[in-house]
Amino acid sequence: IEVTGTNQKTVPIRFELSQKRDRPGVRIVHEDRAHVIEEGVLRWKLNLAPGETTTVHYTLEYPTHYY
């Protein structure tokens, strides 16, 4: 998954990307930035300078059997 965020403001901003885990056993197998887990939701929290663009890449793995 690839998500790009751009700060079009003239002041710094906080950019937060959230990914809900929609089934048990979902896990991140690759990411280019560290995440936190809050209330069962994966979150990447980034600070963007004015005019800055950033891209977050991550790969989720889903269990092969879901009951």
Side-chain angles (χ1 to χ4, degrees):
I1 298 173
E2 178 180 289
V3 179
T4 300
T6 301
N7 179 6
Q8 297 180 341
K9 296 185 176 197
T10 58
V11 296
I13 63 164
R14 179 88 164 161
F15 175 73
E16 185 172 306
L17 169 64
S18 299
Q19 172 71 53
K20 184 176 179 182
R21 295 188 289 180
D22 56 351
R23 28 180 123 151
V26 173
R27 65 185 190 102
I28 295 178
V29 294
H30 174 77
E31 63 186 337
D32 59 2
R33 297 174 190 255
H35 71 281
V36 296
I37 299 174
E38 295 176 341
E39 299 177 11
V41 176
L42 305 168
R43 297 189 195 279
W44 290 264
K45 297 180 178 187
L46 310 164
N47 294 310
L48 297 180
E52 182 179 3
T53 297
T54 192
T55 302
V56 176
H57 301 90
Y58 62 98
T59 303
L60 297 177
E61 179 179 270
Y62 288 83
T64 55
H65 299 288
Y66 177 68
Y67 301 97

